[in-house]
Amino acid sequence: MKIGVLLKQVPDSEARIKVKADGSGIETGDIKYVINPFDEYGVEEALKLKKAKGGEVVIFSFGPKKADEAIRGALAMGADRAVRVDGTGLEGSDNYAVARVLAAAVKAEGMDIVFAGKQAIDDDSAQVPQLVAEFLDWPEVGPVETFEMVDDTTIKVERAIGGGSKEVIQSALPAVVAAEKGLNSPRYASLPGIMKAKRKKIDVKTPDALGIPAAEMGAGAALVKVTKWSPPPVRAAGKVLKGELSETIPQLVKLLHEEAKVI
Amino acid sequence: MFDDVMPGGGFLVATVPLGRTLTREKLTDMQKEFADVARKFVENEVIPRVDEIEVKAEEDGMPLVIKLTKQAGELGLLAVDIPEEYEGLGQDKTTSMAIAEAMYGCASFGATMGAHAGIGALPITLFGNEEQKQQWLPKLAYAELISSYALTEPGSGSDALSGRATAELSEDGKYYILNGEKQYITNGSWADLSIVFARIGDKYTGFIVDLHSEGVSRGVEEKKMGIKGSSTCSLIFENVKVPVENMLGKPGQAAAIALNILNLGRLKLGFGALGNCKYAIDLTLKFGSDRKQFGQPIITFDMQKGKLADMVADTYAVDALNYRAVGDIDKALEQLEHDDTYFDKMIQVLKTYALECSISKIAGSETLMSVANSAVRMHGGYGFCEEYRVERVARDNVVDTIFEGTNDINRLTIFATLTQNIFGAAMPFREFMENLDSDLRNGKVGRIDAEGPLGDEIADCMAAKRVVAYAIDHALIHCGKNIKNDQQVMAAIADMMVALYKMDSTVARAHQVMEDIGEKKAATHLDVARYICYKNGQIICNLATDIIHSVVTPGQLSQKLSNLKKLIACLERPVNVVELRRRIAGAIIEAKEYNL
Ligand SMILES: Cc1cc2nc3c(=O)[nH]c(=O)nc-3n(C[C@H](O)[C@H](O)[C@H](O)COP(=O)(O)OP(=O)(O)OC[C@H]3O[C@@H](n4cnc5c(N)ncnc54)[C@H](O)[C@@H]3O)c2cc1C
């Protein structure tokens, strides 16, 4: 089976994020980067599937050279090889463009199934798996909490639909499967795995090579533009009302009405 | 001045090794990734289960700590030191030390793993023959079998080679019959094999012993002050048949095996302590920032900042000297040709670094002791309660000063190695002293000129070397052969060497960081280097003064003291230590973690 995984490198959730003074992005200097945690579930599920069915696991990533660190992490977990889409003028590409090149890359490699995380924890847009499926004209299921193969061309998954209920979905392959937290417990990269990963191949492909003109990528061509980044507002200090209840209760009501405007 | 730093204390008479030491900043990506795996594993799998580990809980039919050790084994964390020919990863010592450092937070687990992969497996790697390596190492690399190391006996502790266990050749010549009792054996309860030392006649010899053999029994678990989740018990051997092919090395080679294994073990202990220093600092920072008294976080009180700065600076010094030592060892090992005698040559290299390994052990364990002590006190009553982890760190650390040779024994090792190298002219000590004496005679004693933001600290190091050398020279001259009875003097000399290695290595590392990221970004590194120089300079001056007072005959005392004062005067310069400590602490509080 040819098993693909979409993977993005994101800042560690514990990194202290600082927004650039001009609001054009975040300061990237000293931050530690990791594999998007939801994608890690995707990698694990892909590796489990490979163990059951044989074949190969290919990582697909859109990103700069630095993203190789995260890709190597997945290779160290056991993935076989990777394709990274990169080139000049790609900064500011929106989800639509990213999904389009990733779909083209997946198509070029001829995958039977593609796993992804349900969202990336940096921009949280949660669109790429669906868009990739759309470009490939495949079904998409997610966020999935369980995964099993019914037969060689059918999968069965569960997703939460609120109120503790689960939806059980069966789908034909090929399909895109977006992983929810808890789908599995991702293995650690082992030390021999890390050593082997150094010798595994990461193919770098440009959008052009995948048949997508560079002009249709990047900030200029983006349908959705990020206009500004700002840090969450600093929470103002609370107020303590002092005195007898007979005085403080009317004060509180007044504040709720006039300042907080909630009553 | 000599730029070549000879192993075995050569730093005493050499220039500060600017740009020539390994520092943690220079670790390769792969070394960092390996250490990250170790850290992630301990953080996610071990630390959440510390309370169970400490009461020796069982899981899946085995002790939890062993289950975790086997899991660590599956990840390859125990195979780092084992050569690739025997299914290990064949990595350098730096890699294995960086991993040891990253394993902080649960010393019971650390000791279990260390006894297995360090003293339990290493003797086979270094001294085993081809068949023994093929037979055992692949199984030890991934913790399929758990190993241990049995040297200590009830009557034989520090005097480690005086053991009385016996091994007698059987009549058919196929076995050695082993009898005796070993004590305080880490992993004793659950190990599958052990490196056991016993006497063939008068020849003290190492054996690989299958602990599931008939005649082996295990004593009750010791009730310990710390590392309670590790196993420590005695092993009793009654007519145990050990196949002759399980003899390790040659008859009478126990001393070579035991002492050489200790070198790496001590260094590893120094690295383990380093990790736990950072752990204790981070726990204290978090607690001290959350906990308020008199309306302010307690960590922001000036007195607490002073303590924090000491914790941080002392830890930095251990970091600098640990990586320097292992970097030098790896550099020497890289030169060796991989032929039949590789391991013999490796043993020789390790031997030349015995002094530096002992310093790492002393500096690491004693820094952790003071850091943990401050951490407990800065937690107040909470620090005395088990729920707050510093309590455990403080208890667990005590044994670091006892096993792998007590710190006293390590001080004797430092002294013995140093004097051997001085008398054997392995380092240019005589030339160094001739220069110094001639400067004293000609009234030319002064601070050297050194450039740059760390110029003063470089000059401090060079001045300190002269103070230390002067005191050593007089101790050797005046005590002569009798110095064997002057252990207090030997200990003082060892302590001066520890302090000097801290200064020298700290300045070298901070200098490197400054070169790499610029003076402004390296500000805290530079402050730490200043403070370490000041602090250890003081220690050295006090010890040197003690030594001269104690060893010099009354008739010569005033002249020698006056010389010493001239040398000490070169270390005296204005340093606002209070302000320095505030700045160091301020930077770490701001960073919210030990980030150097
Ligand atoms: C938890 C734990 C785990 C251990 N694990 C192992 C293990 O796996 N394998 C193993 O073989 N051993 C192990 N040991 C034993 C350990 O190595 C010894 O305890 C240690 O070497 C000290 O020996 P001792 O306890 O007999 O103390 P002693 O040698 O009796 O020392 C008592 C005191 O006398 C001092 N002293 C001794 N000789 C001198 C001297 N010449 N000059 C000055 N002072 C001196 C010592 O420094 C110490 O302060 C372990 C011990 C502990 C506590």
Side-chain angles (χ1 to χ4, degrees):
Chain A
M1 229 179 155
K2 296 187 85 173
I3 308 160
V5 183
L6 307 184
L7 181 141
K8 183 178 185 184
Q9 189 185 36
V10 297
D12 190 349
S13 57
E14 291 190 4
R16 287 211 283 165
I17 305 291
K18 273 198 208 132
V19 173
K20 281 189 193 155
D22 64 1
S24 66
I26 59 166
E27 308 256 12
T28 51
D30 297 333
I31 319 181
K32 191 176 159 214
Y33 283 84
V34 297
I35 301 177
N36 174 40
F38 291 108
D39 298 350
E40 249 178 0
Y41 298 112
V43 176
E44 176 63 32
E45 206 59 34
L47 294 171
K48 278 165 66 181
L49 186 55
K50 176 185 161 177
K51 185 154 189 233
K53 299 276 171 188
E56 66 165 351
V57 173
V58 185
I59 304 296
F60 295 89
S61 186
F62 172 87
K65 173 107 186 82
K66 185 164 178 51
D68 280 352
E69 299 163 4
I71 295 171
R72 293 249 178 251
L75 297 176
M77 286 169 75
D80 298 286
R81 60 189 177 90
V83 176
R84 177 167 62 82
V85 182
D86 194 7
T88 46
L90 299 183
E91 296 83 33
S93 296
D94 62 0
N95 292 148
Y96 181 86
V98 171
R100 198 169 157 213
V101 284
L102 285 175
V106 168
K107 200 166 181 180
E109 299 292 338
M111 294 289 122
D112 298 313
I113 184 170
V114 168
F115 289 95
K118 69 164 181 173
Q119 71 198 75
I121 62 158
D122 51 357
D123 58 19
D124 274 338
S125 45
Q127 298 200 64
V128 170
Q130 297 88 324
L131 286 168
V132 168
E134 199 59 30
F135 282 117
L136 289 167
D137 203 15
W138 290 5
E140 190 267 355
V141 284
V144 310
E145 294 177 341
T146 65
F147 174 91
E148 64 181 285
M149 296 289 291
V150 179
D151 55 47
D152 279 353
T153 54
T154 318
I155 58 170
K156 190 161 119 188
V157 303
E158 262 179 43
R159 64 193 288 265
I161 51 168
S165 303
K166 308 277 180 205
E167 188 174 53
V168 183
I169 302 173
Q170 227 167 273
S171 166
L173 290 182
V176 175
V177 180
E180 172 65 288
K181 183 178 174 180
L183 171 62
N184 49 45
S185 24
R187 67 196 66 191
Y188 296 93
S190 71
L191 307 195
I194 290 172
M195 289 168 73
K196 278 190 209 128
K198 303 276 172 218
R199 295 190 293 271
K200 289 180 181 170
K201 207 164 151 218
I202 302 178
D203 271 326
V204 181
K205 293 197 172 163
T206 60
D208 276 314
L210 293 165
I212 295 170
E216 291 170 28
M217 303 288 299
L223 305 173
V224 175
K225 290 195 171 75
V226 177
T227 49
K228 194 170 160 50
W229 293 71
S230 59
V234 185
R235 224 195 300 162
K239 234 180 237 177
V240 178
L241 303 177
K242 285 191 179 139
E244 294 294 317
L245 279 184
S246 57
E247 297 161 28
T248 53
I249 288 174
Q251 267 178 314
L252 177 64
V253 172
K254 195 166 164 230
L255 284 171
L256 287 172
H257 185 60
E258 288 172 12
E259 237 176 70
K261 299 199 167 78
V262 290
I263 52 171
Chain B
M1 270 298 120
F2 310 93
D3 284 340
D4 266 353
V5 184
M6 305 288 175
F11 63 87
L12 169 61
V13 294
T15 52
V16 182
L18 302 177
R20 287 178 280 130
T21 59
L22 176 71
T23 67
R24 72 178 310 103
E25 290 78 18
K26 291 190 206 163
L27 290 178
T28 64
D29 284 347
M30 196 154 88
Q31 287 166 339
K32 285 188 215 156
E33 282 168 52
F34 280 12
D36 275 351
V37 173
R39 187 68 223 133
K40 234 169 144 183
F41 178 74
V42 172
E43 209 131 272
N44 297 339
E45 311 296 331
V46 181
I47 290 184
R49 311 199 63 182
V50 157
D51 291 338
E52 295 161 82
I53 292 173
E54 289 302 280
V55 296
K56 300 201 178 83
E58 303 252 332
E59 193 167 283
D60 299 340
M62 62 179 100
L64 175 59
V65 74
I66 289 302
K67 187 182 160 194
L68 291 168
T69 301
K70 287 181 187 279
Q71 278 176 16
E74 283 161 25
L75 289 178
L77 289 167
L78 308 175
V80 188
D81 279 321
I82 295 182
E84 281 176 294
E85 304 92 282
Y86 311 105
E87 296 178 36
L89 303 179
Q91 298 295 304
D92 57 12
K93 299 298 159 211
T94 303
T95 308
S96 102
M97 296 299 158
I99 290 173
E101 181 196 338
M103 293 276 184
Y104 59 80
C106 180
S108 293
F109 178 66
T112 303
M113 270 187 23
H116 166 76
I119 54 181
L122 196 63
I124 302 179
T125 305
L126 289 183
F127 293 90
N129 59 33
E130 187 57 30
E131 290 73 37
Q132 290 168 338
K133 289 182 198 177
Q134 296 284 5
Q135 185 181 355
W136 303 105
L137 291 181
K139 295 199 179 94
L140 296 176
Y142 299 96
E144 225 174 286
L145 295 178
I146 298 292
S147 189
S148 63
Y149 177 85
L151 177 63
T152 306
E153 294 184 10
S156 164
S158 296
D159 189 4
L161 300 175
S162 65
R164 290 163 50 182
T166 57
E168 229 172 291
L169 196 60
S170 64
E171 272 170 22
D172 59 9
K174 287 188 183 153
Y175 300 97
Y176 282 100
I177 308 297
L178 188 62
N179 278 290
E181 181 180 349
K182 297 288 169 179
Q183 180 180 261
Y184 295 153
I185 307 311
T186 306
N187 291 344
S189 288
W190 48 55
D192 299 294
L193 68 142
S194 194
I195 309 300
V196 181
F197 296 89
R199 244 163 246 293
I200 307 174
D202 59 353
K203 294 198 161 86
Y204 209 30
T205 307
F207 296 90
I208 305 168
V209 178
D210 177 350
L211 293 182
H212 304 296
S213 312
E214 210 183 314
V216 177
S217 52
R218 312 183 193 223
V220 289
E221 279 291 336
E222 303 292 346
K223 293 197 172 71
K224 304 185 294 264
M225 174 186 202
I227 56 169
K228 288 172 186 273
S230 70
S231 158
T232 313
C233 68
S234 56
L235 292 176
I236 299 125
F237 304 95
E238 281 170 299
N239 296 321
V240 176
K241 284 159 107 178
V242 181
V244 285
E245 56 271 21
N246 281 16
M247 186 199 296
L248 194 58
K250 300 185 200 75
Q253 233 191 349
I257 300 173
L259 299 180
N260 287 303
I261 293 308
L262 282 176
N263 288 329
L264 279 178
R266 287 167 179 172
L267 190 58
K268 212 169 236 182
L269 193 153
F271 272 91
L274 171 63
N276 279 300
C277 284
K278 295 178 184 177
Y279 183 59
I281 291 174
D282 284 348
L283 290 173
T284 306
L285 265 177
K286 168 127 190 40
F287 177 86
S289 307
D290 293 344
R291 169 80 177 163
K292 287 187 181 150
Q293 285 295 279
F294 302 98
Q296 87 185 65
I298 55 112
I299 198 77
T300 60
F301 286 110
D302 194 39
M303 218 189 285
Q304 307 308 329
K305 281 190 189 167
K307 277 190 226 156
L308 179 63
D310 273 307
M311 294 159 84
V312 168
D314 293 344
T315 299
Y316 187 98
V318 173
D319 195 319
L321 72 84
N322 275 354
Y323 278 101
R324 173 186 184 175
V326 76
D328 287 347
I329 290 175
D330 271 335
K331 229 184 281 168
L333 292 178
E334 269 165 33
Q335 313 287 324
L336 304 181
E337 229 173 290
H338 276 263
D339 54 18
D340 289 354
T341 59
Y342 175 75
F343 290 105
D344 298 333
K345 288 181 291 193
M346 179 167 176
I347 291 160
Q348 288 313 311
V349 167
L350 295 177
K351 208 181 213 165
T352 60
Y353 282 97
L355 181 144
E356 285 78 7
C357 292
S358 284
I359 290 184
S360 169
K361 198 237 171 192
I362 294 173
S365 61
E366 293 181 12
T367 299
L368 179 54
M369 192 164 265
S370 77
V371 166
N373 182 25
S374 294
V376 167
R377 285 160 52 195
M378 288 163 82
H379 275 69
Y382 301 87
F384 198 64
C385 295
E386 285 182 19
E387 191 188 335
Y388 291 79
R389 294 165 175 175
V390 288
E391 178 267 350
R392 186 167 38 78
V393 176
R395 280 189 291 106
D396 285 349
N397 157 245
V398 175
V399 76
D400 288 340
T401 65
I402 297 171
F403 58 17
E404 305 264 356
T406 68
N407 284 16
D408 301 338
I409 295 296
N410 275 280
R411 286 182 163 84
L412 298 181
T413 303
I414 292 174
F415 180 84
T417 315
L418 179 70
T419 46
Q420 230 170 47
N421 290 342
I422 288 176
F423 292 133
M427 66 162 102
F429 184 79
R430 279 286 130 237
E431 290 94 309
F432 185 89
M433 280 311 299
E434 277 161 22
N435 282 335
L436 198 165
D437 284 335
S438 108
D439 283 356
L440 279 169
R441 272 196 308 278
N442 303 327
K444 279 199 340 200
V445 175
R447 277 171 77 80
I448 63 155
D449 280 327
E451 309 233 305
L454 283 176
D456 276 332
E457 286 67 31
I458 294 168
D460 283 346
C461 290
M462 299 319 293
K465 291 180 189 206
R466 291 189 139 197
V467 173
V468 176
Y470 189 81
I472 291 176
D473 198 37
H474 283 80
L476 296 181
I477 293 169
H478 289 270
C479 302
K481 285 221 163 66
N482 226 348
I483 196 147
K484 296 250 167 333
N485 302 322
D486 280 311
Q487 280 192 341
Q488 294 185 54
V489 174
M490 295 155 94
I493 288 173
D495 284 330
M496 290 196 301
M497 292 296 284
V498 173
L500 187 62
Y501 202 48
K502 284 184 185 170
M503 289 174 79
D504 208 42
S505 310
T506 299
V507 172
R509 176 178 168 207
H511 193 273
Q512 183 65 49
V513 172
M514 177 180 73
E515 300 266 288
D516 291 345
I517 63 174
E519 193 183 334
K520 207 164 143 217
K521 274 195 167 169
T524 308
H525 292 260
L526 302 184
D527 280 344
V528 166
R530 281 186 194 112
Y531 185 47
I532 285 297
C533 283
Y534 173 83
K535 194 172 165 174
N536 288 283
Q538 300 272 312
I539 291 172
I540 285 171
C541 293
N542 284 338
L543 289 168
T545 309
D546 286 356
I547 292 174
I548 297 297
H549 272 294
S550 319
V551 303
V552 174
T553 48
Q556 294 182 343
L557 187 58
S558 68
Q559 186 223 338
K560 300 292 178 188
L561 274 178
S562 122
N563 278 346
L564 180 66
K565 282 208 177 100
K566 285 180 201 149
L567 298 172
I568 287 179
C570 300
L571 264 167
E572 282 162 0
R573 62 189 179 88
V575 180
N576 185 343
V577 275
V578 169
E579 195 47 45
L580 255 185
R581 282 195 287 254
R582 272 183 204 138
R583 280 216 301 269
I584 294 169
I588 298 300
I589 293 169
E590 154 91 20
K592 292 196 164 79
E593 61 177 351
Y594 180 96
N595 64 343
L596 298 175

